[in-house]
Amino acid sequence: MNFNQLVLNSPRRLALPISMSPGLALTGAKVSDIVTNSQAQLDAQAALQQRYQSPFVLGAMDLSVEAEAFGCTIAVSDSEVPTVTGRLITNQEQADKLAVPQPGDRRTGVYLEAVRLLRQLPGQPFVFAGCIGPFSLAARLVGVSEAMELTIAEPELMHTLLEKCTDFLTNYLKAFRAAGAHGVIMAEPAAGLLSPRGLSAYSSVYVKRLAAEASDEALSIVLHNCGAKLLHLPAILETGLKAYHFGAPMDIVGALGKVAPDVILCGNLDPAGVFVQSPPAETTAKTAQLLAATAGHRNFVISSGCDLPPNAPLASLDAFYAAVKTANQ
Amino acid sequence: MADLNQLHDAVLNGDAKTAKAVTEQALAAGHEPLKLVQDHMMPAMSEVGRRFECNEYFVPELLLAARAMKGSLELLRPLLAAKGNEPVGRVALGTVKGDLHDIGKNLVGAMLEGGGYEVIDLGVNVTPEQFIAAIKDKKANIVAISALLTTTMPAMKTTIDALKAAGVRDQVKIIVGGAPITQTFADEIGADGFSESAAGAVSAARKVCLA
């Protein structure tokens, strides 16, 4: 059963918070363990799954791992997911010469192995891998601010990088499928900073291509864009995907009115505002509010608008799931 | 003869090459540097901000416009200084210690520069000592601190406390911003101002300086 079938056939409203870090409170591991050790990912997800009985488990969301495989340097800390530092590519010649890595290179092997381990969990939960989207990956290779300017000033350079990023991601998705993933949440946040026309040309075209090559009934792709607004939606839907995950800037009720009933939308509680800065009672109230606003939409899955920050307290996630449970009673 | 409307349009359209060329022509023709900035470049950046706020412009267009303005300002700044024309203010801008994200900081820098401020860009992962040095050595009168991560937000308070300990807190106004930052948080840590958008940073800077 693919993700869309699972959601549309569910008798109750499902929840899919992008949560790995709260599991650390249960296992005692650090963020630096999660991003280097597949067993630490399994332990955190197993602990969360046992606590909430979720039908989904997720590999960690680490948007530095693919860029590192290309050769980018990263900054690592105990408390945050690694960040890409510096610029690997500064001109067309470097872009032309850039070698495309293989799935399994550097730390990508940790994430492939995590999927294999997650498939062994009891209860056979739906296993999501996580990866970056093509434009967000290309932007990390060339510098995110610089990538924004290059989309207008040097489009050829960006397209050269996007071709290579798409080739890598296509193979990476195939490797996730071979490892047993049921789905992949593909994060494309940088594309949300572009105009709709830019998003179409620099993201959707490439996502559509890699999905055509790597996705099938056995592997659902959920495209995540935490920066997109409603005006970006038509350009995002050009990917032809059947599932999307949006952040707080998206008018999710408006978006639900613009997609076919068999297209799944997930989102979009503010991860910082709702899960870190609000007391649990407020988290419950905001979760209930969003569930009420989207009532009647079987194609909506409530979620955090992005991955939960490492300092999101477990009490917030408890409050979130309690509100979902109440709505299902 | 320089067509100064071209300067406005070049900044608005993010055409750095034309902006620089027209600036050079205008200076050769004897135009006042201050008037080039105030009458042509600042209105262009103001329009960029307006378009950004109403989703006609996006991040790429804003950054390119800022680059065009910066190229012209590099020609004009020495001349402005020689004539004693001070910027509206000097802003020490940086992403807080522990945080390596720069795009929000860059957008704020672009809008402040477009608003007539001199921006001292300290980069990312900026220590309190770097902010203090910018206040002491470069005469910054505004400190603008950015954070993207919830885990680095506390470093904003650490920075403000360090400014107090160094005896320079009263010499500056402090504005903060970034995706997880709220007015409540800004008040809690003792910042003077807050902006929830890049374009709003200019009015936040003006407001705190008038307070």
Side-chain angles (χ1 to χ4, degrees), chain A residues 80 145 148-149 277 309 311, chain B residues 55 60 67 106 150-151 153 180:
Chain A
E80 279 290 350
S145 274
M148 295 295 141
E149 296 184 36
Q277 294 160 343
N311 56 345
Chain B
N55 294 318
R67 185 175 292 280
N106 291 346
T150 52
T151 49
M153 287 166 62

Side-chain angles (χ1 to χ4, degrees), chain A residues 75 80 83 85 144-145 148-149 151-152 193-196 229 231-232 272 276-277 309 311, chain B residues 55 58-61 63-64 67 100-103 106 149-153 179-182:
Chain A
E80 279 290 350
T83 309
T85 58
V144 177
S145 274
M148 295 295 141
E149 296 184 36
T151 59
I152 295 173
L193 302 174
L194 301 173
S195 65
K229 299 174 183 170
L231 60 90
H232 290 107
V276 178
Q277 294 160 343
N311 56 345
Chain B
N55 294 318
F58 294 83
V59 172
E61 291 84 359
L63 290 176
L64 281 172
R67 185 175 292 280
L100 301 170
H101 297 85
D102 70 353
I103 199 149
N106 291 346
L149 305 172
T150 52
T151 49
T152 57
M153 287 166 62
I181 309 301
T182 61

Side-chain angles (χ1 to χ4, degrees), chain A residues 246-327:
Chain A
F246 293 120
M250 179 58 74
D251 169 3
I252 204 81
V253 176
L256 282 164
K258 290 180 185 295
V259 299
D262 63 337
V263 170
I264 307 297
L265 299 189
C266 313
N268 69 338
L269 293 166
D270 182 349
V274 174
F275 289 91
V276 178
Q277 294 160 343
S278 296
E282 208 171 311
T283 305
T284 301
K286 286 176 177 166
T287 305
Q289 199 177 357
L290 182 56
L291 285 168
T294 55
H297 291 282
R298 296 181 62 85
N299 56 335
F300 176 69
V301 177
I302 194 161
S303 178
S304 51
C306 200
D307 56 335
L308 293 183
N311 56 345
L314 203 54
S316 295
L317 205 53
D318 289 346
F320 167 82
Y321 275 110
V324 176
K325 192 175 177 184
T326 301

Side-chain angles (χ1 to χ4, degrees), chain B residues 4-209:
Chain B
L4 297 183
N5 288 331
Q6 278 189 1
L7 178 58
H8 174 277
D9 292 350
V11 172
L12 183 61
N13 296 324
D15 182 351
K17 199 173 163 187
T18 301
K20 193 174 175 187
V22 178
T23 303
E24 285 169 339
Q25 290 167 18
L27 290 173
H31 287 283
E32 273 296 309
L34 187 62
K35 289 188 83 63
L36 296 180
V37 175
Q38 289 184 338
D39 295 351
H40 302 281
M41 293 160 66
M42 284 173 61
M45 281 305 289
S46 176
E47 174 63 8
V48 169
R50 189 197 67 76
R51 292 185 184 189
F52 187 68
E53 285 291 286
C54 62
N55 294 318
E56 289 175 28
Y57 268 19
F58 294 83
V59 172
E61 291 84 359
L62 196 159
L63 290 176
L64 281 172
R67 185 175 292 280
M69 172 139 179
K70 203 180 203 58
S72 290
L73 275 177
E74 280 169 10
L75 297 173
L76 297 172
R77 211 164 254 142
L79 304 173
L80 291 166
K83 285 177 178 282
N85 298 133
E86 285 290 311
V88 177
R90 281 195 183 83
V91 185
L93 170 69
T95 306
V96 77
K97 184 172 175 0
D99 201 323
L100 301 170
H101 297 85
D102 70 353
I103 199 149
K105 184 252 318 163
N106 291 346
L107 294 174
V108 167
M111 292 312 302
L112 287 171
E113 207 148 52
Y117 291 84
E118 182 181 331
V119 175
I120 304 155
D121 188 345
L122 301 173
V124 299
N125 195 22
V126 179
T127 62
E129 292 73 25
Q130 287 174 280
F131 281 112
I132 292 164
I135 297 165
K136 288 182 174 173
D137 303 339
K138 301 197 172 171
K139 309 283 183 247
N141 63 336
I142 298 173
V143 168
I145 317 174
S146 168
L148 179 73
L149 305 172
T150 52
T151 49
T152 57
M153 287 166 62
M156 287 182 157
K157 183 169 186 325
T158 307
T159 301
I160 293 174
D161 290 344
L163 264 56
K164 286 179 190 166
V168 296
R169 174 65 182 92
D170 294 339
Q171 297 172 30
V172 294
K173 299 292 185 180
I174 298 174
I175 57 175
V176 294
I181 309 301
T182 61
Q183 181 67 60
T184 305
F185 178 76
D187 293 341
E188 280 171 7
I189 63 172
D192 300 303
F194 157 73
S195 175
E196 61 182 358
S197 70
V202 178
S203 53
R206 283 191 191 128
K207 198 170 154 188
V208 295
C209 287

